[in-house]
Amino acid sequence: MVDSNVVLWGQTIAYTFYCLVIILLMLWFGYKITKTGKSNVVRPAIFYTFVGFLTVLGVSLHIITYNTIPWAPVDLNRGDYNPDKTFEISVANHEFILPSDKLVINCNDLVLFDVKSNDLTYGFGLFRQDNSMVFQMQVVPGHRNDILWKFDKPGIYTIRSTEYSGPRGVFMVLKDAVEVTPCEGV
Amino acid sequence: MSFKNTFIHGTEGLFKPDSLTQMQKIVLRFVVVGLIYYGFAVIEGMIMRIYEVEQIPLINTNQFFAILTAHPLVGIFGSTYALVFGAFLFLTPYLMKKPLYSIKLANWSLILLASGTFIFWFAGFISHYAPLYTLYWPLPADFSQFSVWGGTFFILGIAILMVGTLFFIINIFKTIVYTPEGWEKQPSAALLGSAIGYSGFRNLFRKKENRKEHLVPLPVAAIARGTVDMVLNTSIILFTGVLILIYMLANILGVDLKESAIDALLYKNWFWWGLDLIADGLVLIFVAGTWYLIATMITGKKLFMQNIARAALLLELVVSWTVWSHHLLSDQAQPAMLKIVSGELVTAFELITQGLAFFITLATLWSARPLKMTNPLKFLLGGLLGFALAVPAGIMQADVGLNRILHNTQWIVGPHVHVAVLVGLTMTLYAAVYLLFPIVTNGAKLYSQKLANIHFWLHLIGGIGMGAFMGMAGLKGMLRRTLYVDGEFNLYMILAALAGSLLLISFLAFFYNIVMSVGLKGVIGIFTPSKLKTKELLPES
C-alpha cells in the first residue's frame, strides 16, 4: 500500500511548484501592468478557458486521489471490508483506555480501530517515531468512530489525541503503544 | 516640520479633524478600533509563536490556550469586522449616492463591537476560558476545566458583539432600500432584489431585450450578499451562545444539565455551518466585491465580464450555504454523501468562484495599463496572491483521502488559514485603507512612502513565510491546537516566529506612518463629536 508519507511528499512537490509559479506570475503581472503593451484587451475566450480549466482541476483532484490514495475508497466503504483484527478503545477524562498495554499488529493485517468517547470530543491519531502522521480521525461522543487501516510495514507507533479537548488534552499521548511485527520475507 | 510638530499635528498639518463629517469620523473610529485589535492579534500571535518553541515562565498552559481561543476571535471580529464595517458603512451610501440610513446605529455598532470584543478577550485573559471556537460539544460546558463565570462573561462579550453586527446588517440593508427625506419614493423591493441577486438571476431567463438594468452597483451587490451570510452566521452564533449560557446559568444555580442532551455531531455540523458562512461565505464575497471596487477605482474602467462577476457572487452565496462539511471529513459518523457532495464537490466550486474573481480583477487592471504602482495597487496584488496561494491549499485538504493526513495539522492553519487571512484578506483591506485614506481624511498626506513600502514587503514576506513554515511542520505531522513540550518541531516554529516578527515590524511601521500622518491631535479629534451636523458623507467643498 502507498504510505501516507509518499502521499505527503507528492503533495509537497505539487504545491511548492504551484506556489513558485503563481508568485512568479504575480511578479511578472505587477511589472507588466506598469508598462505600455501591444494590447490591453483580454479576450473572453481566455476567460472561459480559464474557468473550464478550474472546473476540470477541481473535479479531477478528487477523482485522482480516490483512485491513487489507497485508504480513500476503503474509508468510504469500510462496511464492506472484514478486518483481520479489531481494537476497541475508549476515551474518558482525557485518557485512552486500550484493550492491552501494547496493540500488536501482524504485518499486512487490515485493522479496525473502534474508538468510543465517554465525555468530550477527542481525536485519535497514529504517529511514526519521527512524529509524522500515519492517520487520524475525530472521536465524537455518542457516535461510532472507527477507522480501517492496512499495515504493510513493520514499525512502532505513538497514539496521540488529534483534537483539542481543553488544556489537559496536551498530555493525551501514548508513546510506542502500537507495534507492527516484521513482515514475512522482509 | 519638526518631528514633534508632525507627531502632534500630522504631516504638514493637513489633517483637520474639525473638517470631518460625522460619517468620516465613524469610518476613522472603526479603522482605529480595527487596527488596535489587529495589534492585539499580532502580539498574541507572537506570544504563541514563542511559546510553541519555549514555554514562557510568566504564561502557564491554561493561559496559552486562552490566548489561542481569543486570538482568532479578536482578529476576525475585533479587527476585520471593524475595518469591514467602517469601510462598508461608508461605501454603501457612497456608491448608492444617498446618506447612510442611521448614523446613530453605526455608532452603536462600533461601541458594541469594541466593548464586546474587549469583554470576551478580558474574560479569557482573567479566567482562562478556552474552549476554542466552541465547536466541539460539550467542551464549552466542561466546568471541570473552565470557570463557569469566566465562560459566562466570555459568551456575553460574543453576544454583545453579535448585537453590534445585527445593527450593522440593519443599517446596510436599510441604506440600500430606504427613501431619504425629500427624495422621490425609492423602489425598495426592486433595490433589494437587485442587491441580493434575484433580479440578476431572473435576467438569465429573459430575452436580451427584456433584461432589466441592475439597480445597485456591483460592489454594493457584493456587500449585500455577504451581509446575507452575516445574518445567518450571526443568528447561529447568538443562538449557540444562548444555548451555552443556559448550561452556564444552570451550573451557577446548582442544576446539572445533562450534556448528552445535545448531540455532539449535530452541534458540530450546526456550528461549522454557521462559522463557514464567515470563512467560506462572507469573507470570500466581501473580498471579491472589494477587489472589483478597488480595481475599478484604480483604473477608472468598467469591470471585465461584470455580468459574470454578478452571477459568480450569487453562486458563491449558494456555495457558502452548502460547503461546511469539509470540516467534518475526519468525522467517521458524518454521512459519506455529505462528505463527498458538500465536503469535496461544493468546496471545489470555491476554486471556480474565487478563481473567477481573481481573473476578472487582473483582467480589469490589465485593460488600463500602464498603471502607476500605487499603495492600493500593490496591496491589491498582494491580496490577490494571498488567495491564489490559500484557496488551492484549502481545496487540497478538502479531500477525503488527503484530509486523513492533514486534518488538524499546522498545514490547515498555516498555508490555508493564515495565508488567506493575513495575506489575502488583510492586504485587500490595507489596499482599501490606502485608497480611502485621502477621501475620508479630506486630503491628509501619508507621512512616509518608504514606511508604506516597508509595510508592504514585510507583511507579504512575513505572511507567506509564516504560512509556509507552519505548512512544512504540518506535513511533518505537527498538530495545531496543542503544544509539543519536547521541542519536536522547534526548527519550523523558530522560522515561523521569525517570519511572524516581520509581520509585527510591518504593522508597527504602518501604525507609526498613520499616526504621523494624522498626528496625535488628529487621532484624539477622530473621537470628538463632529462639528458638521450634515448626514452627507463628505463636507461640501
Side-chain angles (χ1 to χ4, degrees):
Chain A
M1 184 166 109
V2 173
D3 196 53
S4 56
N5 258 339
V6 177
V7 175
L8 286 172
W9 266 111
Q11 181 186 331
T12 306
I13 291 164
Y15 186 70
T16 306
F17 177 72
Y18 166 75
C19 287
L20 293 174
V21 169
I22 196 75
I23 288 170
L24 289 173
L25 184 73
M26 288 304 284
L27 283 171
W28 171 83
F29 184 85
Y31 172 75
K32 289 296 273 188
I33 53 166
T34 59
K35 308 284 172 206
T36 316
K38 274 185 195 166
S39 168
N40 288 359
V41 179
V42 179
R43 280 181 289 134
I46 301 174
F47 173 75
Y48 291 120
T49 308
F50 180 69
V51 175
F53 168 72
L54 291 180
T55 311
V56 170
L57 190 69
V59 176
S60 62
L61 168 77
H62 300 306
I63 296 171
I64 291 168
T65 57
Y66 187 82
N67 287 292
T68 53
I69 296 179
W71 60 82
V74 177
D75 197 27
L76 287 173
N77 308 297
R78 58 192 182 283
D80 301 342
Y81 292 83
N82 287 320
D84 299 306
K85 199 171 233 176
T86 298
F87 292 117
E88 289 188 353
I89 298 165
S90 61
V91 200
N93 202 22
H94 293 92
E95 271 185 42
F96 289 108
I97 301 147
L98 306 183
S100 56
D101 284 348
K102 191 164 244 184
L103 307 182
V104 180
I105 297 165
N106 295 325
C107 189
N108 287 320
D109 269 2
L110 187 63
V111 180
L112 182 80
F113 296 90
D114 190 353
V115 189
K116 185 183 171 196
S117 167
N118 293 316
D119 44 27
L120 300 172
T121 296
Y122 299 100
F124 177 83
L126 223 60
F127 292 81
R128 299 181 188 87
Q129 295 204 296
D130 64 358
N131 298 307
S132 63
M133 185 192 284
V134 180
F135 68 78
Q136 59 72 42
M137 68 168 165
Q138 294 275 291
V139 180
V140 182
H143 288 274
R144 182 153 192 217
N145 313 285
D146 59 329
I147 187 165
L148 263 180
W149 204 262
K150 187 173 172 118
F151 293 86
D152 57 4
K153 285 186 187 70
I156 293 173
Y157 303 100
T158 292
I159 293 173
R160 184 187 274 273
S161 173
T162 52
E163 185 52 86
Y164 177 72
S165 53
R168 287 165 59 192
V170 172
F171 306 104
M172 292 180 70
V173 183
L174 293 178
K175 218 161 167 39
D176 305 338
V178 176
E179 183 181 347
V180 180
T181 58
C183 308
E184 275 177 31
V186 176
Chain B
M1 275 177 94
S2 69
F3 172 81
K4 191 179 155 192
N5 242 340
T6 307
F7 179 65
I8 294 172
H9 300 288
T11 304
E12 296 173 20
L14 286 173
F15 181 62
K16 296 190 172 32
D18 286 353
S19 72
L20 299 176
T21 62
Q22 298 182 74
M23 277 307 302
Q24 286 174 309
K25 286 211 172 196
I26 287 173
V27 176
L28 290 169
R29 284 171 198 159
F30 269 111
V31 171
V32 171
V33 168
L35 291 180
I36 289 172
Y37 280 128
Y38 181 78
F40 270 53
V42 172
I43 291 166
E44 285 174 344
M46 277 312 293
I47 291 172
M48 289 191 291
R49 294 256 73 85
I50 294 166
Y51 205 84
E52 290 276 5
V53 177
E54 182 79 44
Q55 295 193 15
I56 306 162
L58 285 173
I59 298 172
N60 63 33
T61 309
N62 290 357
Q63 182 82 62
F64 171 82
F65 285 108
I67 295 172
L68 192 66
T69 298
H71 171 72
L73 300 174
V74 170
I76 290 168
F77 295 128
S79 175
T80 306
Y81 264 39
L83 292 170
V84 166
F85 285 10
F88 291 174
L89 286 171
F90 185 83
L91 287 170
T92 305
Y94 183 77
L95 295 165
M96 294 296 293
K97 298 184 173 58
K98 58 179 172 179
L100 184 75
Y101 169 68
S102 170
I103 290 177
K104 210 178 194 178
L105 212 52
N107 266 321
W108 272 108
S109 282
L110 176 70
I111 292 166
L112 294 173
L113 181 142
S115 58
T117 303
F118 186 77
I119 290 168
F120 80 70
W121 177 86
F122 194 64
F125 182 76
I126 296 288
S127 74
H128 302 169
Y129 183 67
L132 288 187
Y133 333 119
T134 77
L135 293 168
Y136 303 102
W137 188 261
L139 191 61
D142 179 8
F143 305 122
S144 67
Q145 289 194 88
F146 308 122
S147 147
V148 65
W149 280 105
T152 303
F153 278 98
F154 189 96
I155 298 293
L156 204 63
I158 298 276
I160 290 169
L161 175 65
M162 289 300 124
V163 174
T165 306
L166 281 177
F167 287 177
F168 164 80
I169 292 163
I170 293 166
N171 225 350
I172 289 292
F173 279 116
K174 287 295 275 186
T175 301
I176 292 169
V177 301
Y178 91 116
T179 304
E181 218 178 293
W183 282 40
E184 201 179 307
K185 177 91 179 111
Q186 299 282 292
S188 304
L191 281 165
L192 186 65
S194 174
I196 61 171
Y198 176 69
S199 54
F201 183 71
R202 290 280 306 271
N203 269 349
L204 293 177
F205 304 99
R206 289 189 181 113
K207 284 182 180 170
K208 207 170 183 179
E209 59 273 18
N210 294 337
R211 282 182 193 158
K212 295 198 172 164
E213 254 185 67
H214 299 294
L215 294 177
V216 304
L218 183 53
V220 175
I223 292 170
R225 288 171 210 178
T227 309
V228 170
D229 273 0
M230 202 175 253
V231 175
L232 298 170
N233 76 58
T234 303
S235 311
I236 284 169
I237 294 172
L238 263 177
F239 179 88
T240 313
V242 170
L243 180 75
I244 298 169
L245 268 179
I246 290 171
Y247 273 78
M248 288 172 169
L249 293 175
N251 185 277
I252 289 168
L253 296 170
V255 180
D256 193 16
L257 292 180
K258 259 192 152 188
E259 287 160 358
S260 57
I262 293 166
D263 185 280
L265 187 64
L266 187 64
Y267 178 93
K268 199 173 182 180
N269 271 283
W270 160 263
F271 208 79
W272 264 129
W273 188 75
L275 272 200
D276 238 21
L277 290 170
I278 302 178
D280 291 270
L282 65 94
V283 167
L284 300 185
I285 300 171
F286 282 163
V287 162
T290 310
W291 287 349
Y292 299 154
L293 177 71
I294 297 172
T296 49
M297 282 177 83
I298 287 173
T299 59
K301 299 250 177 184
K302 270 191 165 181
L303 195 75
F304 175 75
M305 290 278 183
Q306 62 168 309
N307 284 331
I308 300 275
R310 251 177 219 273
L313 284 174
L314 188 62
L315 180 65
E316 179 64 55
L317 187 64
V318 178
V319 165
S320 72
W321 298 338
T322 48
V323 78
W324 83 98
S325 209
H326 58 239
H327 291 282
L328 290 108
L329 293 178
S330 287
D331 287 80
Q332 301 301 78
Q334 182 78 345
M337 189 54 85
L338 273 179
K339 286 186 179 183
I340 293 167
V341 177
S342 161
E344 287 191 334
L345 295 179
V346 178
T347 306
F349 255 95
E350 292 195 340
L351 189 69
I352 301 166
T353 52
Q354 211 60 11
L356 282 179
F358 179 81
F359 192 100
I360 288 169
T361 309
L362 291 184
T364 306
L365 294 172
W366 189 262
S367 70
R369 69 188 180 134
L371 291 167
K372 195 174 172 230
M373 191 52 75
T374 57
N375 291 326
L377 179 56
K378 69 173 80 141
F379 274 93
L380 173 63
L381 294 176
L384 286 159
L385 174 61
F387 277 101
L389 292 169
V391 172
I395 302 298
M396 288 166 98
Q397 72 212 27
D399 175 86
V400 168
L402 291 171
N403 192 267
R404 186 61 63 212
I405 45 178
L406 290 175
H407 185 79
N408 265 354
T409 64
Q410 292 276 330
W411 168 273
I412 310 291
V413 77
H416 181 53
V417 177
H418 275 86
V419 172
V421 173
L422 283 173
V423 186
L425 175 62
T426 306
M427 291 192 91
T428 301
L429 289 174
Y430 278 136
V433 168
Y434 279 109
L435 189 71
L436 293 177
F437 181 76
I439 300 172
V440 293
T441 57
N442 295 331
K445 197 178 162 194
L446 202 62
Y447 171 66
S448 163
Q449 184 52 42
K450 261 189 192 165
L451 282 175
N453 291 342
I454 289 172
H455 177 213
F456 172 77
W457 284 110
L458 292 193
H459 190 99
L460 185 70
I461 296 167
I464 294 175
M466 193 170 87
F469 294 124
M470 289 167 82
M472 289 176 202
L475 294 173
K476 297 283 179 195
M478 183 180 181
L479 297 171
R480 65 194 286 210
R481 304 169 176 164
T482 192
L483 280 170
Y484 286 86
V485 288
D486 296 323
E488 295 92 326
F489 296 96
N490 267 4
L491 173 65
Y492 297 107
M493 289 301 100
I494 289 168
L495 291 169
L498 288 173
S501 63
L502 296 183
L503 285 168
L504 178 63
I505 296 166
S506 95
F507 173 68
L508 293 175
F510 171 70
F511 200 80
Y512 177 71
N513 207 10
I514 293 294
V515 170
M516 292 299 280
S517 300
V518 299
L520 194 59
K521 269 192 170 173
V523 175
I524 296 164
I526 288 168
F527 289 91
T528 58
S530 171
K531 291 186 175 162
L532 308 175
K533 293 302 166 201
T534 175
K535 276 190 85 180
E536 294 300 320
L537 299 175
L538 301 171
E540 289 167 21
S541 52

